[in-house]
Amino acid sequence: MHIFKDFYRNEVKLSFDDHPFSKYPKHVWVICKYKNKWLLTRHKDRGLEFPGGKVEDNEHPSDAAIREVWEETGGVTESIHYIGQYIVAGKGGTIVKNVYTASIKELLPQKTYYETHGPILLDALPADVKQRKSYSFIMKDDVLTHCLDYISTHARNRNG
């Protein structure tokens, strides 16, 4: 388990175990790639971030993750995998969020991208993302760092 402070100095607990904080989290976040590029979205208020959002009533979190990618980027999910879960106890309450990694098979234009301006493709994430004003606070804590390390390590282990 990783414990650290987020952008707003709230304590975050991140685990790569199977749903350690809730079997039914109310939020999802999807670290996704399309054609070997990172697929982000530009949130209208927060800036650049990976797609994510709230789980609707009677919706499975993985279905919410697929829906959020579609709504915010027009991305059609080819595969999606749960990698971990984190919990943040903030001033507005406690949030439990599943983190997924997804491979996107195509991007389709949307009439609306809801609260975002649509897809953004990047060859690489900048090393100084925490200092960049164009990025959302969601990208500026160690959830992203630990998840990218986890994804990288598990991809190497799968590939030999």
Side-chain angles (χ1 to χ4, degrees):
M1 174 147 357
H2 303 279
I3 301 172
F4 50 88
K5 299 287 185 181
D6 71 4
F7 182 76
Y8 294 109
R9 309 299 302 149
N10 299 307
E11 183 178 85
V12 178
K13 294 178 183 175
L14 168 67
S15 174
F16 296 109
D17 292 336
D18 184 16
H19 298 84
F21 308 115
S22 174
K23 293 291 181 196
Y24 306 101
K26 298 294 181 195
H27 297 85
V28 296
W29 195 46
V30 189
I31 299 171
C32 41
K33 279 198 155 182
Y34 172 68
K35 293 186 176 180
N36 286 327
K37 295 184 183 224
W38 296 109
L39 174 59
L40 286 78
T41 188
R42 186 180 307 278
H43 190 277
K44 290 179 181 176
D45 297 323
R46 296 189 299 251
L48 294 172
E49 61 188 27
F50 284 109
K54 293 181 181 176
V55 178
E56 295 178 356
D57 290 341
N58 300 314
E59 184 178 41
H60 190 276
S62 63
D63 293 332
I66 291 167
R67 177 183 50 76
E68 289 290 347
V69 169
W70 169 254
E71 288 178 354
E72 294 183 0
T73 70
V76 178
T77 301
E78 182 171 33
S79 65
I80 189 161
H81 303 282
Y82 168 89
I83 61 168
Q85 190 176 72
Y86 68 96
I87 186 168
V88 181
K91 294 177 186 137
T94 299
I95 293 175
V96 177
K97 190 177 288 193
N98 277 4
V99 182
Y100 297 88
T101 182
S103 175
I104 307 305
K105 63 181 171 185
E106 64 181 317
L107 285 179
L108 300 174
Q110 302 296 308
K111 288 183 180 180
T112 178
Y113 293 99
Y114 296 86
E115 67 274 2
T116 79
H117 292 294
I120 301 291
L121 292 169
L122 299 175
D123 290 323
L125 296 172
D128 64 344
V129 71
K130 291 180 182 183
Q131 285 74 45
R132 295 201 181 193
K133 290 182 180 181
S134 59
Y135 283 81
S136 165
F137 74 91
I138 295 170
M139 303 285 285
K140 295 183 178 184
D141 63 36
D142 289 338
V143 170
L144 178 60
T145 305
H146 290 301
C147 286
L148 291 175
D149 288 346
Y150 180 89
I151 292 166
S152 174
T153 299
H154 284 76
R156 276 197 307 271
N157 290 344
R158 281 194 304 270
N159 296 331

